[in-house]
Amino acid sequence: MPTLIRGRVHYGRTATLGLALPAVAWAATTKPQVANVLGGSARDPGSPVDEAGRVQFGRGSGALGSQRRVAGLHKGMRLGAGRAGALHGPGPDHWKSTMAERDPRNRTGRSPLRRGLVTAVLAACMLTASTAPGYGTDASGPGAGPQFTPLTAAVMTEPTPFPATDGRTHLSYELLTTNALPSSTRVRLDRVEVRDARTHRVVGSLSGQALADAANPVGDPLPGADGYTPAPPGPTPTVIPGSQQWVIWLDLALDRGQRVPKVLEHRLSGAVVTASGSSPFEETVQVTPTGRTAPMNLDAPVRPGTWYSSESCCGNTHHRRGLGPINGRFYVPQRFAIDWYRVGERGRTWEGDPTRLTSYLSYRQPVVAAAGGRVVEVQDGIPDNTPPVTPPVPPIEETVGNHVTVEVAPGRYLLYAHLKPGSPKVREGDHVEPGRVLGLIGNSGNSTTPHLHFQVMTTAEFFPTDSPPFTFREFRVVGQVEPRLWDDNLGTQPTGVLPITPSPHDGPHRARYPLDREVLEF
C-alpha cells in the first residue's frame, strides 16, 4: 500500500528566536536593565519581565488557518503500526479531543533593533533558567496578551469527529511543534493536554510513555510493528532539541455520549533545559474549531463477502502516520485510507505460490462505486508488481498506480487505487451510480501485494490532498487480527491464513468507520 502525505499547512506569523553572540553578556543583566531595554518598568504590571528580571513565557494568542490540501504515497516513507492508536482519558497517559489555531500577533517587535534586543534578552533568560521559578507557571495561569513561548504549534487539518466500531467518537489529527529556542537549548515536553477552549475542561492528555510513542522529529518516524514483532517503545522523556520540529500524532477517543467541543485548545507543559539547569514552562497554543461537517456515509467499495481492513486509523500505521514533504509543505494525505484484502475460508488471503499474483484472493476482484458521482480522473497502463517483494518507490505520479477518482460532492472525491492494468471500465466525465464496477483489484503503483487502496480526498488529485474521515452504511465485524499483517509482509508469512480472533466489537454496525485490522463482512 502507499504511504501518504496529506494536509496543506497554513502557518501563522511566528517570531523566530535566535541567540546572538552578544547575548551571553546579557546573562548578567540586572532586572532594571532588562526592563529598560524592553521599554517598561520591572514592577510595571504590563511588563513582560517578572520580579526576578526574566522574560515570562506563557499563553500566546494565535491564529493558524488550516487547509485541506495534502499529498502522496511514498513506500519509502512508510511507518509501522501498533494496534491501539487511540488514547482514552483523562489521565496521565491518555487522550481526548483538540486542535488549534495561532494568532499573527505573536511578534518580537516592530523594528529590527528592538527585535534583536528582545531576542538577546530572551536567550539570556533561558541560559539562566536554573535560577528562575519558571516560565508562565504562576498559579493564576498565563497572563493575558502576547507572550514568548518556547514551543510553537500548528495543526495540519481540521479535526473532524467520526464514529468508529469501538462505539467511541474519534478525532485524529497532528500537531507540528517547533522548539523556537537556540540549538543549545532543549525543551523537555512532559504533558500535552487537549481541552475544551470554552470551559478549559481537559478532554484528553498525553504524558510519559504514551507521549513518547506519539511524538517524533518530522524526519525520523518512530518504527512500527512488523508482523508479529512489536514496535519498540519511544524514548522517554520526550526532549525536543533547540531549533527542531516534531510532530505529535493526536488520536482522541471520546466515550459514548461525551460531547465534542466546538473549539479545542492545547496545553503544553514541561521544562526548558540548559547546561545550568532547567526551568518549567506552560503554554496554551493552537486554538481551533472542530469540523462541523458529518463524515460521508458510503456503500462498500467491494462486492459482498469477508474483507480485512488493513492500515486504517488510528494507530502507528503507514497511512495514519505517513508524513511527507510535498511542494514545500508537509502533508498526511492517507490519514483515513484503508487497504482492503479479500478473505476466504478459514481466514485465507492467499494460497499456493506467494510470488504469483493469482495466488491472492484479492487479485481481480471487482471494485465498485461506493457512491454515485462523476469520474474526474482515470489512470491506466501501469504494470502490476510481482509479489511479495516491496517494489522500488515509483515516480510520484505513479504512486497510487492505476486508479479511478470519482467526485461525489463538492470538495469530496473517492479514490480507488492499485487497479489491474487494463481493468478500468469508466472514462473521465462518466457519471456512475453506486455499485457500478469501476475496475479490478491489481498490484500497480506503490503496492507489494494485491489490494484495494480506498479513501476520501478533498481534491481530484492525490498530490496534494487531505484525507477526511468517512463511514460505511452497514457491515458486520467478525473478528480482528492482532499482529500487524499488511501490504509489505502479508505475502512473506508462512501461510496466507490470517490469525483471526474474536473482537470486542463483533456484530452489526451502521454508519461506522472500521478500525485497523478488523475483519468484516459487507
CSV table of all heavy atoms in Angstrom, one decimal, residues 301 367-371 373-380 400-408 413-420 422-432 436-440 444 452-457 459-462:
chain,number,residue,atom,x,y,z
A,301,PRO,N,-16.9,-0.4,-1.1
A,301,PRO,CA,-16.2,-0.2,-2.4
A,301,PRO,C,-15.9,-1.6,-3.1
A,301,PRO,O,-15.2,-1.6,-4.1
A,301,PRO,CB,-14.9,0.5,-2.0
A,301,PRO,CG,-14.6,0.0,-0.7
A,301,PRO,CD,-15.9,-0.2,0.0
A,367,VAL,N,-14.0,-3.9,-8.2
A,367,VAL,CA,-14.1,-2.7,-7.4
A,367,VAL,C,-15.3,-1.9,-7.8
A,367,VAL,O,-15.5,-1.7,-9.0
A,367,VAL,CB,-12.8,-1.8,-7.6
A,367,VAL,CG1,-12.9,-0.5,-6.9
A,367,VAL,CG2,-11.6,-2.6,-7.2
A,368,VAL,N,-16.2,-1.5,-6.9
A,368,VAL,CA,-17.4,-0.9,-7.2
A,368,VAL,C,-17.5,0.5,-6.6
A,368,VAL,O,-16.9,0.8,-5.6
A,368,VAL,CB,-18.6,-1.8,-6.8
A,368,VAL,CG1,-18.6,-3.2,-7.5
A,368,VAL,CG2,-18.6,-2.0,-5.3
A,369,ALA,N,-18.4,1.3,-7.2
A,369,ALA,CA,-18.6,2.7,-6.7
A,369,ALA,C,-19.3,2.7,-5.4
A,369,ALA,O,-20.3,2.1,-5.2
A,369,ALA,CB,-19.4,3.5,-7.8
A,370,ALA,N,-18.6,3.3,-4.4
A,370,ALA,CA,-19.2,3.4,-3.0
A,370,ALA,C,-20.2,4.5,-2.9
A,370,ALA,O,-20.9,4.6,-1.9
A,370,ALA,CB,-18.1,3.6,-2.0
A,371,ALA,N,-20.3,5.4,-4.0
A,371,ALA,CA,-21.3,6.5,-4.0
A,371,ALA,C,-21.4,6.9,-5.5
A,371,ALA,O,-20.5,6.7,-6.3
A,371,ALA,CB,-20.9,7.6,-3.1
A,373,GLY,N,-21.5,9.6,-8.6
A,373,GLY,CA,-20.8,10.8,-8.9
A,373,GLY,C,-20.2,10.8,-10.3
A,373,GLY,O,-20.6,10.0,-11.2
A,374,ARG,N,-19.3,11.8,-10.5
A,374,ARG,CA,-18.7,12.0,-11.9
A,374,ARG,C,-17.3,11.6,-11.8
A,374,ARG,O,-16.5,12.0,-10.9
A,374,ARG,CB,-18.9,13.4,-12.3
A,374,ARG,CG,-18.3,13.8,-13.7
A,374,ARG,CD,-18.6,15.2,-14.0
A,374,ARG,NE,-17.9,16.1,-13.1
A,374,ARG,CZ,-16.7,16.6,-13.3
A,374,ARG,NH1,-16.0,16.3,-14.3
A,374,ARG,NH2,-16.2,17.5,-12.4
A,375,VAL,N,-16.9,10.8,-12.8
A,375,VAL,CA,-15.5,10.3,-12.9
A,375,VAL,C,-14.6,11.5,-13.3
A,375,VAL,O,-14.9,12.1,-14.4
A,375,VAL,CB,-15.3,9.2,-13.9
A,375,VAL,CG1,-13.8,8.8,-14.0
A,375,VAL,CG2,-16.2,8.0,-13.4
A,376,VAL,N,-13.6,11.9,-12.5
A,376,VAL,CA,-12.8,13.0,-12.9
A,376,VAL,C,-11.4,12.6,-13.2
A,376,VAL,O,-10.6,13.5,-13.8
A,376,VAL,CB,-12.8,14.0,-11.7
A,376,VAL,CG1,-14.1,14.6,-11.5
A,376,VAL,CG2,-12.2,13.4,-10.4
A,377,GLU,N,-11.0,11.4,-12.9
A,377,GLU,CA,-9.6,11.0,-13.3
A,377,GLU,C,-9.5,9.5,-13.4
A,377,GLU,O,-10.1,8.8,-12.6
A,377,GLU,CB,-8.6,11.5,-12.2
A,377,GLU,CG,-7.1,11.2,-12.6
A,377,GLU,CD,-6.1,11.9,-11.7
A,377,GLU,OE1,-5.8,13.1,-11.9
A,377,GLU,OE2,-5.7,11.2,-10.7
A,378,VAL,N,-8.9,9.0,-14.5
A,378,VAL,CA,-8.6,7.6,-14.7
A,378,VAL,C,-7.2,7.5,-15.2
A,378,VAL,O,-6.8,8.2,-16.1
A,378,VAL,CB,-9.6,7.0,-15.8
A,378,VAL,CG1,-9.2,5.6,-16.1
A,378,VAL,CG2,-11.0,7.1,-15.4
A,379,GLN,N,-6.4,6.6,-14.5
A,379,GLN,CA,-5.1,6.3,-14.9
A,379,GLN,C,-5.0,4.8,-15.2
A,379,GLN,O,-5.4,4.0,-14.4
A,379,GLN,CB,-4.1,6.8,-13.9
A,379,GLN,CG,-2.6,6.6,-14.3
A,379,GLN,CD,-1.6,7.2,-13.3
A,379,GLN,OE1,-2.0,7.7,-12.3
A,379,GLN,NE2,-0.3,7.3,-13.7
A,380,ASP,N,-4.3,4.5,-16.3
A,380,ASP,CA,-4.2,3.1,-16.6
A,380,ASP,C,-2.8,2.9,-17.3
A,380,ASP,O,-2.1,3.8,-17.6
A,380,ASP,CB,-5.3,2.6,-17.6
A,380,ASP,CG,-5.5,1.1,-17.7
A,380,ASP,OD1,-4.7,0.4,-17.1
A,380,ASP,OD2,-6.3,0.7,-18.5
A,400,VAL,N,-0.2,5.8,-6.7
A,400,VAL,CA,-1.4,5.1,-6.4
A,400,VAL,C,-1.7,4.1,-7.6
A,400,VAL,O,-2.7,3.4,-7.6
A,400,VAL,CB,-2.6,6.0,-6.2
A,400,VAL,CG1,-2.4,6.7,-4.9
A,400,VAL,CG2,-2.8,6.9,-7.3
A,401,GLY,N,-0.8,4.0,-8.6
A,401,GLY,CA,-0.9,3.1,-9.6
A,401,GLY,C,-2.1,3.4,-10.5
A,401,GLY,O,-2.6,4.5,-10.6
A,402,ASN,N,-2.6,2.4,-11.2
A,402,ASN,CA,-3.8,2.6,-12.0
A,402,ASN,C,-5.0,2.8,-11.0
A,402,ASN,O,-5.1,2.1,-10.0
A,402,ASN,CB,-4.1,1.3,-12.8
A,402,ASN,CG,-3.0,0.9,-13.7
A,402,ASN,OD1,-2.4,1.7,-14.4
A,402,ASN,ND2,-2.6,-0.4,-13.6
A,403,HIS,N,-5.8,3.9,-11.3
A,403,HIS,CA,-6.8,4.3,-10.4
A,403,HIS,C,-8.0,5.0,-11.1
A,403,HIS,O,-7.8,5.4,-12.2
A,403,HIS,CB,-6.2,5.1,-9.3
A,403,HIS,CG,-5.7,6.5,-9.8
A,403,HIS,ND1,-4.4,6.6,-10.3
A,403,HIS,CD2,-6.3,7.7,-9.8
A,403,HIS,CE1,-4.3,7.9,-10.7
A,403,HIS,NE2,-5.4,8.6,-10.4
A,404,VAL,N,-9.0,5.1,-10.3
A,404,VAL,CA,-10.2,5.9,-10.7
A,404,VAL,C,-10.6,6.8,-9.6
A,404,VAL,O,-10.6,6.4,-8.4
A,404,VAL,CB,-11.4,4.9,-11.0
A,404,VAL,CG1,-12.7,5.7,-11.3
A,404,VAL,CG2,-11.1,4.0,-12.2
A,405,THR,N,-10.8,8.1,-9.9
A,405,THR,CA,-11.2,9.1,-8.9
A,405,THR,C,-12.6,9.6,-9.3
A,405,THR,O,-12.8,10.0,-10.5
A,405,THR,CB,-10.2,10.2,-8.8
A,405,THR,OG1,-8.9,9.7,-8.6
A,405,THR,CG2,-10.6,11.2,-7.8
A,406,VAL,N,-13.5,9.6,-8.4
A,406,VAL,CA,-14.9,10.0,-8.6
A,406,VAL,C,-15.3,11.1,-7.7
A,406,VAL,O,-15.1,11.0,-6.5
A,406,VAL,CB,-15.9,8.8,-8.4
A,406,VAL,CG1,-17.3,9.3,-8.6
A,406,VAL,CG2,-15.6,7.6,-9.3
A,407,GLU,N,-15.8,12.2,-8.3
A,407,GLU,CA,-16.3,13.3,-7.5
A,407,GLU,C,-17.7,13.0,-7.0
A,407,GLU,O,-18.6,12.8,-7.9
A,407,GLU,CB,-16.2,14.6,-8.3
A,407,GLU,CG,-16.7,15.9,-7.5
A,407,GLU,CD,-16.7,17.1,-8.3
A,407,GLU,OE1,-16.7,17.0,-9.6
A,407,GLU,OE2,-16.7,18.2,-7.7
A,408,VAL,N,-17.9,13.0,-5.7
A,408,VAL,CA,-19.2,12.6,-5.2
A,408,VAL,C,-19.9,13.7,-4.5
A,408,VAL,O,-21.1,13.6,-4.2
A,408,VAL,CB,-19.1,11.4,-4.2
A,408,VAL,CG1,-18.6,10.2,-5.0
A,408,VAL,CG2,-18.1,11.7,-3.1
A,413,TYR,N,-13.9,13.6,-3.0
A,413,TYR,CA,-13.6,12.7,-4.1
A,413,TYR,C,-13.2,11.3,-3.5
A,413,TYR,O,-12.6,11.2,-2.4
A,413,TYR,CB,-12.4,13.2,-4.9
A,413,TYR,CG,-12.6,14.6,-5.5
A,413,TYR,CD1,-12.4,15.7,-4.7
A,413,TYR,CD2,-12.9,14.7,-6.8
A,413,TYR,CE1,-12.6,17.0,-5.2
A,413,TYR,CE2,-13.1,16.0,-7.3
A,413,TYR,CZ,-13.0,17.1,-6.5
A,413,TYR,OH,-13.1,18.4,-7.0
A,414,LEU,N,-13.6,10.2,-4.2
A,414,LEU,CA,-13.3,8.9,-3.8
A,414,LEU,C,-12.2,8.3,-4.7
A,414,LEU,O,-12.3,8.4,-5.9
A,414,LEU,CB,-14.5,8.0,-3.8
A,414,LEU,CG,-15.8,8.4,-3.0
A,414,LEU,CD1,-16.8,7.4,-3.1
A,414,LEU,CD2,-15.4,8.8,-1.6
A,415,LEU,N,-11.2,7.8,-4.0
A,415,LEU,CA,-10.0,7.2,-4.7
A,415,LEU,C,-10.1,5.7,-4.6
A,415,LEU,O,-10.1,5.1,-3.5
A,415,LEU,CB,-8.7,7.8,-4.2
A,415,LEU,CG,-7.4,7.1,-4.7
A,415,LEU,CD1,-7.2,7.5,-6.2
A,415,LEU,CD2,-6.2,7.6,-3.9
A,416,TYR,N,-10.0,5.0,-5.8
A,416,TYR,CA,-9.9,3.6,-5.9
A,416,TYR,C,-8.6,3.3,-6.6
A,416,TYR,O,-8.4,3.5,-7.8
A,416,TYR,CB,-11.0,3.0,-6.7
A,416,TYR,CG,-12.4,3.5,-6.3
A,416,TYR,CD1,-12.9,4.7,-6.7
A,416,TYR,CD2,-13.2,2.7,-5.5
A,416,TYR,CE1,-14.2,5.1,-6.3
A,416,TYR,CE2,-14.5,3.1,-5.1
A,416,TYR,CZ,-15.0,4.3,-5.5
A,416,TYR,OH,-16.2,4.7,-5.1
A,417,ALA,N,-7.6,2.8,-5.8
A,417,ALA,CA,-6.2,2.7,-6.3
A,417,ALA,C,-5.6,1.3,-6.4
A,417,ALA,O,-6.2,0.4,-5.7
A,417,ALA,CB,-5.3,3.6,-5.4
A,418,HIS,N,-4.5,1.2,-7.2
A,418,HIS,CA,-3.8,-0.1,-7.4
A,418,HIS,C,-4.5,-1.1,-8.2
A,418,HIS,O,-4.5,-2.3,-8.0
A,418,HIS,CB,-3.4,-0.7,-6.0
A,418,HIS,CG,-2.6,0.2,-5.1
A,418,HIS,ND1,-1.5,0.9,-5.6
A,418,HIS,CD2,-2.7,0.5,-3.8
A,418,HIS,CE1,-1.0,1.6,-4.6
A,418,HIS,NE2,-1.8,1.4,-3.5
A,419,LEU,N,-5.3,-0.5,-9.2
A,419,LEU,CA,-6.1,-1.4,-10.1
A,419,LEU,C,-5.2,-2.2,-11.0
A,419,LEU,O,-4.1,-1.8,-11.4
A,419,LEU,CB,-7.1,-0.6,-10.8
A,419,LEU,CG,-8.1,0.3,-10.0
A,419,LEU,CD1,-9.1,1.0,-10.9
A,419,LEU,CD2,-8.8,-0.6,-8.9
A,420,LYS,N,-5.8,-3.3,-11.5
A,420,LYS,CA,-5.1,-4.1,-12.5
A,420,LYS,C,-5.0,-3.4,-13.8
A,420,LYS,O,-6.0,-2.7,-14.2
A,420,LYS,CB,-5.9,-5.4,-12.7
A,420,LYS,CG,-5.3,-6.4,-13.7
A,420,LYS,CD,-6.2,-7.6,-13.8
A,420,LYS,CE,-5.5,-8.7,-14.7
A,420,LYS,NZ,-5.5,-8.2,-16.1
A,422,GLY,N,-5.4,-2.3,-17.5
A,422,GLY,CA,-6.4,-2.7,-18.5
A,422,GLY,C,-7.8,-2.9,-17.9
A,422,GLY,O,-8.7,-3.2,-18.7
A,423,SER,N,-7.9,-2.8,-16.6
A,423,SER,CA,-9.2,-3.1,-16.0
A,423,SER,C,-10.2,-2.0,-15.8
A,423,SER,O,-11.4,-2.2,-15.6
A,423,SER,CB,-9.0,-3.8,-14.7
A,423,SER,OG,-8.6,-2.9,-13.7
A,424,PRO,N,-9.7,-0.7,-15.7
A,424,PRO,CA,-10.7,0.4,-15.6
A,424,PRO,C,-11.8,0.3,-16.6
A,424,PRO,O,-11.5,0.2,-17.8
A,424,PRO,CB,-9.8,1.7,-15.7
A,424,PRO,CG,-8.5,1.2,-15.2
A,424,PRO,CD,-8.3,-0.2,-15.7
A,425,LYS,N,-13.0,0.5,-16.2
A,425,LYS,CA,-14.2,0.3,-17.1
A,425,LYS,C,-15.0,1.6,-17.2
A,425,LYS,O,-16.1,1.6,-17.7
A,425,LYS,CB,-15.1,-0.8,-16.5
A,425,LYS,CG,-14.4,-2.1,-16.4
A,425,LYS,CD,-15.4,-3.2,-15.9
A,425,LYS,CE,-14.6,-4.6,-15.8
A,425,LYS,NZ,-14.0,-5.0,-17.0
A,426,VAL,N,-14.4,2.7,-16.8
A,426,VAL,CA,-15.0,4.0,-16.9
A,426,VAL,C,-14.0,5.0,-17.6
A,426,VAL,O,-12.8,4.7,-17.6
A,426,VAL,CB,-15.5,4.6,-15.6
A,426,VAL,CG1,-16.7,3.7,-15.0
A,426,VAL,CG2,-14.4,4.6,-14.6
A,427,ARG,N,-14.6,6.1,-18.0
A,427,ARG,CA,-13.8,7.2,-18.6
A,427,ARG,C,-14.1,8.5,-17.9
A,427,ARG,O,-15.1,8.6,-17.2
A,427,ARG,CB,-14.1,7.3,-20.1
A,427,ARG,CG,-13.7,6.1,-20.9
A,427,ARG,CD,-14.0,6.4,-22.4
A,427,ARG,NE,-13.7,5.3,-23.3
A,427,ARG,CZ,-13.9,5.3,-24.6
A,427,ARG,NH1,-14.4,6.3,-25.2
A,427,ARG,NH2,-13.5,4.2,-25.3
A,428,GLU,N,-13.1,9.4,-18.0
A,428,GLU,CA,-13.3,10.7,-17.4
A,428,GLU,C,-14.6,11.3,-17.9
A,428,GLU,O,-14.8,11.3,-19.1
A,428,GLU,CB,-12.1,11.6,-17.6
A,428,GLU,CG,-10.9,11.1,-16.8
A,428,GLU,CD,-9.7,12.0,-17.0
A,428,GLU,OE1,-9.9,13.2,-17.6
A,428,GLU,OE2,-8.5,11.6,-16.7
A,429,GLY,N,-15.4,11.9,-17.1
A,429,GLY,CA,-16.7,12.5,-17.5
A,429,GLY,C,-17.9,11.6,-17.3
A,429,GLY,O,-19.0,12.1,-17.3
A,430,ASP,N,-17.6,10.3,-17.2
A,430,ASP,CA,-18.7,9.4,-17.0
A,430,ASP,C,-19.4,9.6,-15.6
A,430,ASP,O,-18.8,10.0,-14.6
A,430,ASP,CB,-18.3,7.9,-17.0
A,430,ASP,CG,-17.9,7.4,-18.3
A,430,ASP,OD1,-18.1,8.1,-19.3
A,430,ASP,OD2,-17.4,6.3,-18.4
A,431,HIS,N,-20.7,9.5,-15.6
A,431,HIS,CA,-21.5,9.5,-14.3
A,431,HIS,C,-21.8,8.1,-13.9
A,431,HIS,O,-22.3,7.3,-14.7
A,431,HIS,CB,-22.8,10.3,-14.5
A,431,HIS,CG,-22.6,11.8,-14.7
A,431,HIS,ND1,-22.6,12.6,-13.6
A,431,HIS,CD2,-22.2,12.5,-15.7
A,431,HIS,CE1,-22.3,13.9,-14.0
A,431,HIS,NE2,-22.1,13.8,-15.3
A,432,VAL,N,-21.5,7.8,-12.7
A,432,VAL,CA,-21.6,6.4,-12.2
A,432,VAL,C,-22.6,6.4,-11.0
A,432,VAL,O,-22.8,7.3,-10.3
A,432,VAL,CB,-20.3,5.8,-11.7
A,432,VAL,CG1,-19.3,5.8,-12.9
A,432,VAL,CG2,-19.7,6.6,-10.6
A,436,ARG,N,-21.7,0.4,-9.4
A,436,ARG,CA,-21.2,0.2,-10.7
A,436,ARG,C,-19.7,-0.3,-10.6
A,436,ARG,O,-18.9,0.2,-9.8
A,436,ARG,CB,-21.3,1.4,-11.5
A,436,ARG,CG,-20.7,1.2,-12.9
A,436,ARG,CD,-20.9,2.4,-13.8
A,436,ARG,NE,-20.2,2.3,-15.1
A,436,ARG,CZ,-20.3,3.2,-16.1
A,436,ARG,NH1,-21.0,4.2,-16.0
A,436,ARG,NH2,-19.6,3.0,-17.2
A,437,VAL,N,-19.4,-1.3,-11.4
A,437,VAL,CA,-18.0,-1.8,-11.4
A,437,VAL,C,-17.1,-0.8,-12.1
A,437,VAL,O,-17.3,-0.3,-13.2
A,437,VAL,CB,-17.9,-3.1,-12.2
A,437,VAL,CG1,-16.4,-3.6,-12.3
A,437,VAL,CG2,-18.7,-4.2,-11.5
A,438,LEU,N,-16.0,-0.4,-11.4
A,438,LEU,CA,-15.1,0.6,-11.9
A,438,LEU,C,-13.8,0.0,-12.4
A,438,LEU,O,-13.1,0.6,-13.3
A,438,LEU,CB,-14.7,1.6,-10.8
A,438,LEU,CG,-15.8,2.3,-10.1
A,438,LEU,CD1,-15.3,3.1,-8.9
A,438,LEU,CD2,-16.6,3.2,-11.0
A,439,GLY,N,-13.4,-1.2,-12.0
A,439,GLY,CA,-12.2,-1.9,-12.4
A,439,GLY,C,-12.0,-3.1,-11.5
A,439,GLY,O,-12.9,-3.5,-10.8
A,440,LEU,N,-10.8,-3.7,-11.6
A,440,LEU,CA,-10.5,-4.9,-10.8
A,440,LEU,C,-9.2,-4.6,-10.0
A,440,LEU,O,-8.3,-3.8,-10.3
A,440,LEU,CB,-10.2,-6.0,-11.8
A,440,LEU,CG,-11.2,-6.4,-12.8
A,440,LEU,CD1,-10.8,-7.5,-13.7
A,440,LEU,CD2,-12.5,-6.8,-12.1
A,444,SER,N,-0.6,-2.5,-8.9
A,444,SER,CA,0.1,-1.5,-9.6
A,444,SER,C,0.5,-0.3,-8.6
A,444,SER,O,-0.1,-0.1,-7.6
A,444,SER,CB,-0.7,-0.9,-10.8
A,444,SER,OG,-1.9,-0.4,-10.3
A,452,LEU,N,-7.0,-3.3,-2.6
A,452,LEU,CA,-7.6,-2.0,-3.0
A,452,LEU,C,-7.3,-1.0,-1.9
A,452,LEU,O,-7.6,-1.1,-0.7
A,452,LEU,CB,-9.2,-2.2,-3.1
A,452,LEU,CG,-9.9,-0.9,-3.3
A,452,LEU,CD1,-9.6,-0.2,-4.6
A,452,LEU,CD2,-11.4,-1.1,-3.1
A,453,HIS,N,-6.7,0.1,-2.4
A,453,HIS,CA,-6.5,1.3,-1.5
A,453,HIS,C,-7.7,2.2,-1.8
A,453,HIS,O,-7.9,2.7,-2.9
A,453,HIS,CB,-5.2,2.0,-1.9
A,453,HIS,CG,-5.0,3.3,-1.2
A,453,HIS,ND1,-4.3,3.4,0.0
A,453,HIS,CD2,-5.4,4.5,-1.5
A,453,HIS,CE1,-4.3,4.7,0.4
A,453,HIS,NE2,-5.0,5.4,-0.5
A,454,PHE,N,-8.4,2.5,-0.7
A,454,PHE,CA,-9.6,3.3,-0.8
A,454,PHE,C,-9.6,4.4,0.2
A,454,PHE,O,-9.3,4.2,1.4
A,454,PHE,CB,-10.9,2.4,-0.6
A,454,PHE,CG,-12.2,3.2,-0.6
A,454,PHE,CD1,-12.7,3.6,-1.8
A,454,PHE,CD2,-12.8,3.6,0.6
A,454,PHE,CE1,-13.9,4.3,-1.8
A,454,PHE,CE2,-14.0,4.3,0.6
A,454,PHE,CZ,-14.6,4.7,-0.6
A,455,GLN,N,-10.0,5.6,-0.2
A,455,GLN,CA,-10.1,6.8,0.7
A,455,GLN,C,-10.9,7.9,0.1
A,455,GLN,O,-11.2,7.9,-1.0
A,455,GLN,CB,-8.7,7.3,1.1
A,455,GLN,CG,-8.0,8.0,-0.1
A,455,GLN,CD,-6.7,8.6,0.3
A,455,GLN,OE1,-5.6,8.0,0.3
A,455,GLN,NE2,-6.7,9.9,0.7
A,456,VAL,N,-11.3,8.8,1.0
A,456,VAL,CA,-11.9,10.1,0.6
A,456,VAL,C,-10.8,11.1,0.5
A,456,VAL,O,-9.9,11.2,1.4
A,456,VAL,CB,-13.0,10.5,1.6
A,456,VAL,CG1,-13.6,11.8,1.2
A,456,VAL,CG2,-14.1,9.4,1.7
A,457,MET,N,-10.9,12.0,-0.5
A,457,MET,CA,-9.9,13.1,-0.7
A,457,MET,C,-10.7,14.4,-0.8
A,457,MET,O,-11.9,14.4,-1.1
A,457,MET,CB,-9.1,12.8,-1.9
A,457,MET,CG,-8.4,11.5,-2.0
A,457,MET,SD,-7.2,11.4,-3.4
A,457,MET,CE,-8.2,11.6,-4.8
A,459,THR,N,-9.4,16.8,-2.9
A,459,THR,CA,-9.0,17.3,-4.3
A,459,THR,C,-9.1,16.1,-5.3
A,459,THR,O,-9.1,14.9,-4.9
A,459,THR,CB,-7.6,17.9,-4.3
A,459,THR,OG1,-6.7,16.9,-3.9
A,459,THR,CG2,-7.5,19.1,-3.4
A,460,ALA,N,-9.2,16.4,-6.5
A,460,ALA,CA,-9.2,15.4,-7.5
A,460,ALA,C,-7.9,14.6,-7.7
A,460,ALA,O,-7.9,13.5,-8.1
A,460,ALA,CB,-9.6,16.0,-8.9
A,461,GLU,N,-6.8,15.2,-7.3
A,461,GLU,CA,-5.5,14.6,-7.4
A,461,GLU,C,-5.0,14.1,-6.1
A,461,GLU,O,-5.4,14.7,-5.0
A,461,GLU,CB,-4.5,15.6,-8.0
A,461,GLU,CG,-4.1,16.8,-7.2
A,461,GLU,CD,-5.1,17.9,-7.3
A,461,GLU,OE1,-6.1,17.8,-8.1
A,461,GLU,OE2,-4.9,18.9,-6.5
A,462,PHE,N,-4.2,13.1,-6.1
A,462,PHE,CA,-3.7,12.6,-4.8
A,462,PHE,C,-2.6,13.5,-4.2
A,462,PHE,O,-2.5,13.5,-3.0
A,462,PHE,CB,-3.2,11.2,-5.1
A,462,PHE,CG,-2.8,10.5,-3.8
A,462,PHE,CD1,-3.7,10.0,-2.9
A,462,PHE,CD2,-1.4,10.3,-3.5
A,462,PHE,CE1,-3.4,9.4,-1.7
A,462,PHE,CE2,-1.1,9.7,-2.3
A,462,PHE,CZ,-2.1,9.2,-1.4
